[in-house]
Amino acid sequence: MDYVVRLHLKTGTDFRQGLVDFCLNSKKQYVAIGWSSQSEDLYRESFQEYYHRVKELSGRANPAINVFRDAEVDDLFWTRDLNGNYWICRVISPVEVLCDKRLDIGAVLPVEAYNFGMQVPGQIKSSFNRPRGGTVERIRDRIIIEYSKTIFNQLSNSKYYKVIPYEDNLLDNLPDFDLEELVISYLQIKENYYVLSNSIANKSTTIKIECEMISREVGNFRKAVVQVKGKKAKVLDALDFKQYVEEGYIVYLYVPQVINIDQIDNVIRINNDDLLDFYKKNKPILPLSITQWETLFGSNNS
């Protein structure tokens, strides 16, 4: 499996809930795409003709219809319902042409689908929430692929997919979005900050800051920013954060390598041992989107 697919269940219909119910909440389950005007009078097996009609109508091969053309049995899809729940879907048979004008369905992939709830990894969630992200995206990150197979096995109560475990520790393998979430949780709980929901990086700098935080302690005002980088990141220079320090911020860094940190005050590096210790002690109150990764990372985190 080279990728998993993120798919919005969204066609040209005005009856979006009806589309979701047809696809996910019926005895037979599907993921679907639109262009029902191009599937009229076609047989179920006539996907190639439907494909050419849509391509001619659009002037190009839309990414969504390409994904359906390329789909094979046992491919995995993530989709989301109108309540914000994420569903993991296994393709169980080849694509079929279907014409439903009310729901604007032109083709479907029969699937076996399970409701996973709302706490998916950040990389999956961001794919759904990305502005102008399109109807589909092929997610090729190997960790997300193995994670998706694991979730399907869990929800189907089976060992349908062989999952390749990761032997390194949690921090070495957490996807970037979830590593950021863990570090920010660490600062909120251990250092007693709260995150400003509308915080963004200072526009005059090219340094990427995850967020701005303010101390919860009345009478001990502190403000801080945080930078998080995974194990493959390049060496970071602490002096690049001088502007933030001059503006009164404490700068927290979680990075694999940093230089010149002894040349500047109020730049603090969070080390692996402290973060992993925090994780172990606070796991019951951390988001499932972080803690669920342990199923892939063997026993090196206990």
Side-chain angles (χ1 to χ4, degrees):
M1 188 180 297
D2 296 325
Y3 56 83
V4 296
V5 176
R6 181 273 294 156
L7 172 73
H8 284 294
L9 279 179
K10 187 175 183 180
T11 64
T13 184
D14 293 328
F15 305 98
R16 185 87 182 276
Q17 185 60 55
L19 174 66
V20 171
D21 288 340
F22 172 81
C23 288
L24 301 176
N25 297 322
S26 302
K27 186 175 181 180
K28 292 184 178 180
Q29 296 173 300
Y30 305 95
V31 289
I33 52 176
W35 299 288
S36 58
S37 62
Q38 305 306 304
S39 62
E40 197 170 10
D41 74 26
L42 292 180
Y43 292 108
R44 184 177 64 179
E45 300 84 5
S46 303
F47 180 80
Q48 201 60 34
E49 175 60 27
Y50 165 77
Y51 178 90
H52 287 306
R53 289 183 182 183
V54 173
K55 185 176 179 181
E56 184 174 338
L57 177 70
S58 306
R60 63 186 179 90
N62 184 281
I65 199 170
N66 280 342
V67 163
F68 272 55
R69 177 199 61 190
D70 298 340
E72 298 179 353
V73 171
D74 292 340
D75 281 356
L76 288 172
F77 281 62
W78 284 97
T79 193
R80 185 169 65 180
D81 64 26
L82 298 187
N83 294 318
N85 293 306
Y86 295 85
W87 294 65
I88 184 72
C89 311
R90 178 182 72 87
V91 176
I92 60 174
S93 61
V95 63
E96 301 174 5
V97 174
L98 186 152
C99 185
D100 187 318
K101 292 293 187 66
R102 180 176 180 272
L103 300 179
D104 187 34
I105 296 174
V108 296
L109 281 166
V111 297
E112 177 185 356
Y114 297 94
N115 184 340
F116 180 63
M118 297 184 180
Q119 291 202 48
V120 296
Q123 187 170 345
I124 295 174
K125 186 174 295 185
S126 68
S127 178
F128 278 93
N129 295 339
R130 187 175 298 119
R132 297 181 296 278
T135 302
V136 298
E137 180 183 1
R138 304 186 200 217
I139 302 175
R140 300 181 184 274
D141 190 315
R142 178 53 54 185
I143 290 181
I144 297 297
I145 294 170
E146 299 306 319
Y147 168 83
S148 301
K149 292 192 290 186
T150 299
I151 295 305
F152 182 87
N153 285 353
Q154 289 177 353
L155 296 182
S156 63
N157 194 27
S158 72
K159 295 182 179 179
Y160 192 86
Y161 291 100
K162 180 180 179 181
V163 178
I164 303 172
Y166 283 72
E167 297 302 328
D168 292 334
N169 68 45
L170 180 79
L171 302 182
D172 284 338
N173 286 305
L174 267 182
D176 290 344
F177 286 99
D178 302 298
L179 181 59
E180 290 171 12
E181 184 74 22
L182 178 59
V183 172
I184 291 169
S185 296
Y186 168 90
L187 291 171
Q188 290 184 101
I189 295 171
K190 187 170 182 180
E191 300 296 334
N192 206 21
Y193 287 103
Y194 69 89
V195 176
L196 298 181
S197 61
N198 63 343
S199 59
I200 57 173
N202 189 316
K203 291 182 173 60
S204 63
T205 180
T206 58
I207 297 295
K208 178 180 181 292
I209 296 300
E210 317 308 342
C211 63
E212 180 181 356
M213 298 171 291
I214 301 295
S215 172
R216 300 174 188 270
E217 300 172 23
V218 177
N220 182 25
F221 178 78
R222 293 172 294 149
K223 60 180 182 178
V225 292
V226 58
Q227 166 80 98
V228 179
K229 293 290 185 183
K231 66 178 182 178
K232 296 180 181 179
K234 297 179 180 179
V235 176
L236 215 61
D237 189 340
L239 295 177
D240 287 339
F241 295 86
K242 183 179 179 181
Q243 176 181 335
Y244 288 100
V245 173
E246 290 176 344
E247 293 177 2
Y249 289 94
I250 299 172
V251 178
Y252 291 94
L253 303 178
Y254 180 80
V255 293
Q257 299 180 75
V258 60
I259 59 173
N260 294 323
I261 197 166
D262 58 338
Q263 303 296 314
I264 186 170
D265 293 329
N266 290 330
V267 176
I268 299 171
R269 184 181 182 187
I270 302 168
N271 64 50
N272 281 356
D273 289 343
D274 286 343
L275 191 58
L276 197 54
D277 181 66
F278 165 81
Y279 172 82
K280 293 173 184 176
K281 291 178 178 177
N282 294 276
K283 186 162 57 174
I285 63 172
L286 292 175
L288 179 62
S289 58
I290 295 173
T291 60
Q292 64 191 341
W293 288 104
E294 280 198 47
T295 58
L296 277 183
F297 301 146
S299 59
N300 293 336
N301 308 298
S302 57

